[in-house]
Amino acid sequence: MSGTPELRITDSTLRDGSHAMRHQFTEEQVRAIVHALDRSGVQVIEVAHGDGLGGSSFNYGFSKVDEFQLIAAAVEEAHQAKIAVLMLPGVGTVEHLNRAWDCGARVARIATHCTEADTAVQHFGAARAKGFETVGFLMLSHRTTPENLARQARIMVDAGAQCVYVVDSAGALVLGDAQARIQAVLDEVATEAQVGFHGHQNLSLGVANSVLAYQTGARQIDGALCALGAGAGNSPTEVLAATFDRLGIPTGVDVQEVLAAAEDVVRPTIPRLPFMDRASIVQGYAGVYSSFLLHAERAAERYGVPAHEILQRVGEAGYVGGQEDMIIDVALQLVQEREHGVLSSSGAR
Ligand SMILES: CC[C@H](O)CC(=O)C(=O)O
Ligand SMILES: [Mn+2]
């Protein structure tokens, strides 16, 4: 579909997809994926540790290759696409943003829990002062009301965000839930900023929610090739491109090229692609941060309790990003309950 793009797709294969890769991307893989995405016409490509700049750590998992080396390689490969980075205040700092700028990144996406936008105020200011295009990310958006989300979006826009994303980190928003949040944020900020949507596939609704988001007024949408992303993965970029093309909505992405990027570049080189298994569906169902999946799987293996049961409990407890250590706590609690013969919610011992 030709014509001036009405919608900008940001591809997060090399950031959200880093979770599914256990943060083991090589420079060669980054170059090949950026080359293919850039050629297909995707306008923004996000590159960073899965948990954002500064995420390489014992808590979140160490990167194989330093993220600034990967960002610089991505910048070299991209001819038309802008390279974006994502950071969570507290995991990363303004210093990380400055280094990303020096490597050539030009879009700064700053993420907070959906009720904590005020923790990012100085980061938006610093990013704008540097010259970045700025995007705010309200994570786990299902965890607050549309009205409150709109108030949080207002804080981000007042601080300097040029777009605010409704982020369905748990893949828990079901159609109208996503639409109501997009509408509320638009009502609050549309005269000053764009609105975006970032979906996960835990309930298989990433693409459908993205279409609804566009129809409601969102103009930036995230995806990842082959759905590579946390949990059951992100909305697949290639499916977004094909679907919007069929709807007659120009995205600037060549469908055949992006299909080739997914099939020929990502699929053969990625050891494990995300899918909707019991654990990731429970994430959508119970509203659990998608990035918790691999942490829960590791705890499941270590303590001999099912990952889906851990995640169900994590959802009930309402843990948010940054509370990864509580996954171990929950696993140990389940072990104890089993030892004392307490039945789990699924009836299993
Ligand atoms: C690192 C922040 C976080 O994982 C952003 C994101 O992709 C999400 O919340 O879904
Ligand atoms: Mn995500």
Side-chain angles (χ1 to χ4, degrees):
M1 163 75 41
S2 52
T4 312
E6 285 178 18
L7 168 67
R8 190 173 84 173
I9 293 180
T10 292
D11 183 273
S12 189
T13 310
L14 296 169
R15 200 281 303 163
D16 213 317
S18 176
H19 290 293
M21 282 291 287
R22 294 183 187 274
H23 317 291
Q24 299 303 295
F25 274 123
T26 64
E27 184 175 327
E28 197 187 357
Q29 286 171 318
V30 168
R31 285 185 182 277
I33 293 169
V34 170
H35 183 82
L37 282 167
D38 183 66
R39 191 183 148 108
S40 76
V42 168
Q43 293 172 64
V44 182
I45 302 169
E46 186 176 56
V47 183
H49 183 279
D51 292 283
L53 296 176
S56 180
S57 60
F58 180 78
N59 198 22
Y60 295 119
F62 290 103
S63 302
K64 185 183 182 83
V65 179
D66 181 77
E67 60 192 339
F68 294 107
Q69 183 182 331
L70 299 181
I71 293 163
V75 169
E76 259 181 38
E77 288 297 330
H79 296 294
Q80 59 77 27
K82 289 188 197 175
I83 301 302
V85 292
L86 180 133
M87 67 97 62
L88 270 87
V91 176
T93 62
V94 169
E95 182 54 30
H96 286 94
L97 282 177
N98 291 339
R99 283 190 66 190
W101 174 270
D102 292 341
C103 292
R106 291 296 178 260
V107 183
R109 309 209 310 166
I110 299 169
T112 73
H113 182 59
C114 60
T115 55
E116 314 289 318
D118 57 336
T119 59
V121 168
Q122 65 158 321
H123 304 83
F124 284 112
R128 283 295 289 278
K130 197 83 192 161
F132 277 110
E133 177 189 331
T134 51
V135 172
F137 241 49
L138 289 168
M139 300 190 293
L140 289 166
S141 282
H142 72 285
R143 295 275 295 277
T144 195
T145 60
E147 296 70 30
N148 195 40
L149 201 65
R151 282 192 283 274
Q152 297 292 311
R154 163 57 52 201
I155 294 171
M156 286 188 162
V157 170
D158 287 349
Q162 293 165 296
C163 173
V164 179
Y165 266 66
V166 172
V167 179
D168 186 14
S169 313
L173 292 175
V174 178
L175 306 173
D177 301 333
Q179 199 171 21
R181 283 163 178 75
I182 296 282
Q183 187 66 63
V185 174
L186 272 164
D187 289 346
E188 179 64 38
V189 304
T191 55
E192 298 139 89
Q194 287 196 333
V195 174
F197 180 74
H198 172 101
H200 278 268
Q201 288 286 77
N202 303 334
L203 295 178
S204 191
L205 293 171
V207 176
N209 282 339
S210 298
V211 170
L212 269 177
Y214 172 80
Q215 288 172 341
T216 309
R219 288 297 174 264
Q220 297 191 33
I221 299 286
D222 280 10
L225 292 170
C226 298
L228 197 71
N234 288 109
S235 318
T237 298
E238 64 278 19
V239 181
L240 288 172
T243 303
F244 282 113
D245 191 70
R246 283 298 305 270
L247 289 169
I249 298 154
T251 62
V253 180
D254 183 293
V255 174
Q256 295 309 322
E257 290 285 357
V258 80
L259 287 174
E263 195 72 13
D264 303 339
V265 181
V266 170
R267 198 174 292 280
T269 58
I270 302 301
R272 168 192 146 142
L273 287 170
F275 64 106
M276 283 167 270
D277 60 0
R278 187 171 185 174
S280 61
I281 295 167
V282 165
Q283 288 190 290
Y285 185 68
V288 181
Y289 193 43
S290 291
S291 315
F292 283 177
L293 180 64
L294 298 193
H295 295 270
E297 285 180 355
R298 248 192 317 270
E301 205 177 305
R302 185 158 169 204
Y303 299 108
V305 284
H308 69 88
E309 285 189 31
I310 299 175
L311 290 163
Q312 178 69 40
R313 287 286 178 92
V314 166
E316 286 159 11
Y319 295 130
V320 301
Q323 293 183 298
E324 282 73 5
D325 53 337
M326 296 311 290
I327 294 169
I328 310 249
D329 231 53
V330 167
L332 289 170
Q333 208 180 310
L334 285 169
V335 170
Q336 244 183 11
E337 288 175 15
R338 283 170 173 240
E339 281 168 4
H340 293 95
V342 179
L343 279 178
S344 74
S345 51
S346 65
R349 269 182 200 277

